Amino acid sequence: MTVASQVLSWFDRINHPPIPDTRIWWECQTLLMEGFANIVEHAHKDLPIDTSIELEAARFSERIEIRIWSQGKAFDLDKKLAELSEFEDNELDRGRGLKIMSVIADQLTYKQAADNRYCLFICKYY
């Protein structure tokens, strides 16, 4: 089983009973996987392979919250999003995941916590 399939299998546990709008659930899965992939590829790229990434997901009556805790470097998410071109103008295929996340998520932040880890926070209402 790949790491991606393990993450999605873990995440699927909060979808019971299933969210009636399957598009919303697909968007939540996309947000989780894009966020996780960005942490692995960028925040943890210079760290030992066994450096942990902690995932949290909570389902509430009207929203899903995802937190991905990393030990990488500081990153100004808002600044990066402002620098990225729109999808149709992005010929380099870089930054599309962040742009997708910013369009789908109702809240998207990346902030340092008191323990010096960083938290990618994602919230999606349904």
Side-chain angles (χ1 to χ4, degrees):
M1 184 180 272
T2 67
V3 172
S5 59
Q6 289 175 335
V7 169
L8 286 173
S9 177
W10 164 83
F11 187 56
D12 193 48
R13 291 186 269 165
I14 71 166
N15 195 29
H16 296 287
I19 295 172
D21 187 340
T22 56
R23 181 184 60 83
I24 294 291
W25 181 243
W26 179 84
E27 289 176 347
C28 288
Q29 291 175 315
T30 301
L31 288 164
L32 172 65
M33 293 313 299
E34 286 292 340
F36 182 76
N38 273 299
I39 295 299
V40 170
E41 184 178 347
H42 301 290
H44 279 214
K45 73 177 180 181
D46 296 325
L47 298 176
I49 194 146
D50 60 348
T51 304
S52 66
I53 297 171
E54 185 179 334
L55 301 172
E56 294 178 19
R59 180 176 170 179
F60 301 93
S61 61
E62 75 290 345
R63 73 187 185 282
I64 289 180
E65 292 182 359
I66 300 166
R67 287 175 177 81
I68 305 174
W69 296 91
S70 71
Q71 299 177 40
K73 299 175 185 169
F75 174 73
D76 188 335
L77 177 62
D78 294 330
K79 180 181 176 192
K80 185 64 176 177
L81 286 170
E83 292 171 355
L84 291 172
S85 59
E86 295 303 316
F87 296 117
E88 58 274 4
D89 298 330
N90 189 339
E91 295 177 14
L92 300 176
D93 292 332
R94 302 303 305 157
R96 286 186 180 208
L98 287 178
K99 205 59 141 167
I100 288 167
M101 291 173 67
S102 73
V103 169
I104 296 174
D106 293 306
Q107 288 180 273
L108 182 66
T109 62
Y110 187 71
K111 297 189 178 184
Q112 188 171 22
D115 65 1
N116 290 325
R117 294 186 302 165
Y118 287 87
C119 180
L120 177 62
F121 174 76
I122 305 162
C123 180
K124 179 69 179 172
Y125 286 87
Y126 59 92

